[in-house]
């Protein structure tokens, strides 16, 4: 056995998955069929929310600033600027081009933003104030013309003022106080009052993630971004208190969040578990964080860092921290993660809040095939081609031969017609 399991997580059953999918399918089906009436039904059922209109006006959004401490406003402005700068750097790295590929054959690519997108901004138990920034700002930098945002109501029946302030600052025109599966359905399928979009992005709980999975194909999605995940690779130089603190920071998101420690030190494994118990008792969010850790937490011991990296690559976590003596020596071994944090000085919570790299990241092992949300998610790379007469005749001859061999007579004739017309 390549590793020793000190603490195992409880696996999700097939019945749980089936129930989740059926529940989401029912809600999406009603939204698609009944439109606004379904939105009102589910908003009443899940959020005890019955507004005259789900849409938040520009004037209403502007008032959110008055509800926030000045220090919070400064932090949100800082985050907006850093996320914008990072998204712009990403956009600048993408280039259009046209070049000659062979004599007389020009090929190129254009980079064009999607026409519309829907940004889902969860609030839930603890609204993350910069979650809107992470999805909206890359779309703005990409040049998306129509950006729709949905965020669920709080206990007072309105979007959290911190989230609403960021939407206002980023000049979003379509803001809806609407959450959960019904919001995903509204953006994907449209209703009497909400026009459908081309792409839906953003994180959420397991219901939102499942809703995005089910709408894919009717519209585009970024990826499946469900309950939070963190995996920490650590050697015997790591501090158990820091490891535990970073695990708890993600566990407190949601009782379905997943935290995992992979270490080469059995001593550190046990010390971290002791720290988890100690620190959980000290947190005001103990109830949720403890439920997450007890059910979804995992502690594994390997005998080498290479095996720890292999374990992490198979786990493919949303967040990956490396608490070892020489973090950059492990870097080349790591291939599957949403976002990486090198060294104990680099806390994942920095990126969650204000740092700049996007915190909307793949979960559920989706990091095996995609990275996190970035400006390129809102851009289509479209290719084009143009040939002169000499190149056209050369390609026609080749296409004619291949079409005939394949038995695709329509393809063959389209090539033959050009040969007969211009040879």
């Amino acid at each position: 056995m390549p590793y020793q399991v000190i603490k195992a997580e409880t696996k999700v059953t097939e019945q749980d998955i089936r129930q989740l999918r059926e529940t989401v399918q029912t809600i999406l089906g009603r939204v698609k069929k009944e439109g606004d009436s379904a939105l009102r039904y589910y908003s009443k059922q899940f959020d005890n929310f019955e507004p005259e209109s789900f849409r938040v006006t520009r004037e209403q959004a502007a008032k959110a600033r008055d509800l926030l401490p000045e220090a919070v406003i400064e932090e949100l402005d800082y985050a907006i600027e850093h996320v914008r700068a990072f998204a712009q750097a990403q956009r600048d790295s993408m280039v259009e081009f046209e070049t000659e590929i062979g004599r007389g054959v020009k090929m190129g690519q254009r980079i064009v933003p999607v026409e519309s997108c829907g940004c889902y901004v969860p609030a839930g138990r603890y609204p993350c104030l910069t979650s809107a920034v992470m999805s909206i700002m890359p779309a703005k930098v990409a040049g998306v013309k129509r950006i729709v945002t949905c965020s669920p109501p709080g206990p007072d029946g309105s979007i959290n003022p911190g989230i609403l302030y960021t939407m206002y600052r980023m000049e979003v025109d379509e803001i809806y106080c609407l959450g959960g599966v019904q919001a995903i359905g509204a953006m994907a399928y449209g209703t009497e009052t909400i026009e459908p979009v081309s792409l839906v992005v953003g994180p959420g709980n397991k219901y939102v993630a499942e809703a995005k999975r089910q709408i894919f194909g009717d519209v585009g999605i970024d990826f499946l971004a469900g309950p939070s995940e963190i995996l920490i690779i650590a050697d015997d130089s790591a501090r158990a208190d820091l490891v535990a603190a970073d695990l708890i920071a993600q566990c407190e998101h949601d009782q379905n969040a997943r935290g995992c420690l992979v270490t080469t030190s059995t001593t550190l494994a046990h010390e971290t578990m002791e720290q988890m118990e100690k620190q959980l008792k000290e947190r005001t969010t103990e109830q949720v964080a403890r439920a997450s850790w007890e059910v979804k937490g995992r502690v594994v011991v390997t005998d080498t860092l290479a095996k720890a990296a292999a374990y992490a690559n198979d786990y493919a976590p949303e967040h990956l921290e490396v608490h070892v003596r020489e973090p950059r020596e492990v870097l080349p071994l790591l291939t599957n993660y949403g976002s990486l944090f090198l060294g104990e000085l680099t806390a994942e919570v920095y990126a969650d809040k204000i740092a700049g790299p996007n915190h909307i990241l793949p979960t559920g092992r989706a990091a095996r095939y995609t990275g996190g949300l970035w400006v390129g998610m809102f851009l289509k790379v479209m290719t084009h081609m143009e040939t002169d007469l000499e190149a056209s005749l050369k390609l026609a001859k080749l296409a004619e031969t291949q079409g005939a061999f394949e038995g695709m007579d329509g393809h063959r004739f389209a090539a033959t017609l050009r040969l007969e017309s211009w040879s």
Side-chain angles (χ1 to χ4, degrees), residues 112-292:
V112 179
V114 298
E115 293 181 350
S116 61
C117 71
C119 299
Y120 184 73
V121 183
R125 189 175 287 105
Y126 320 112
C128 182
L129 302 188
T130 52
S131 189
V133 183
M134 299 294 177
S135 59
I136 296 168
M137 186 53 73
K140 298 282 285 188
V141 171
V144 179
K145 292 180 180 179
R146 177 175 172 250
I147 300 174
V148 176
T149 60
C150 286
S151 190
D156 64 349
S158 61
I159 295 174
N160 179 278
I163 292 174
L164 192 55
Y165 169 74
T166 61
M167 293 177 176
Y168 176 79
R169 278 277 281 107
M170 291 182 290
E171 299 182 342
V172 177
D173 290 325
E174 282 191 64
I175 302 172
Y176 297 94
C177 188
L178 183 65
V181 174
Q182 60 269 28
I184 301 299
M187 291 188 288
Y189 304 129
T191 71
E192 295 89 333
T193 58
I194 303 175
E195 290 292 323
V197 297
S198 301
L199 172 70
V200 174
V201 306
N205 60 20
K206 63 182 181 180
Y207 293 95
V208 168
E210 174 60 22
K212 288 171 63 181
R213 189 187 70 81
Q214 292 192 22
I215 65 170
F216 178 63
D218 292 314
V219 295
I221 64 169
D222 44 1
F223 39 75
L224 299 182
S228 190
E229 301 170 346
I230 186 169
L231 184 146
I232 300 177
I233 294 175
D235 61 15
D236 60 0
S237 72
R239 286 175 48 178
D241 59 342
L242 285 176
V243 172
D246 289 356
L247 287 169
I248 291 172
Q250 295 310 303
C251 288
E252 74 178 2
H253 274 288
D254 187 298
Q255 64 184 15
N256 293 299
R258 301 169 70 211
C260 178
L261 167 63
V262 184
T263 177
T264 55
S265 169
T266 302
T267 299
L268 179 72
H270 289 289
E271 288 178 349
T272 298
M273 291 181 68
E274 291 171 3
Q275 277 290 320
M276 290 294 292
E277 184 60 29
K278 175 181 180 293
Q279 292 186 33
L280 280 169
K281 292 177 180 178
E282 299 168 348
R283 302 283 74 78
T284 60
T285 54
E286 178 186 0
Q287 183 178 1
V288 175
R290 183 179 293 279
S292 164

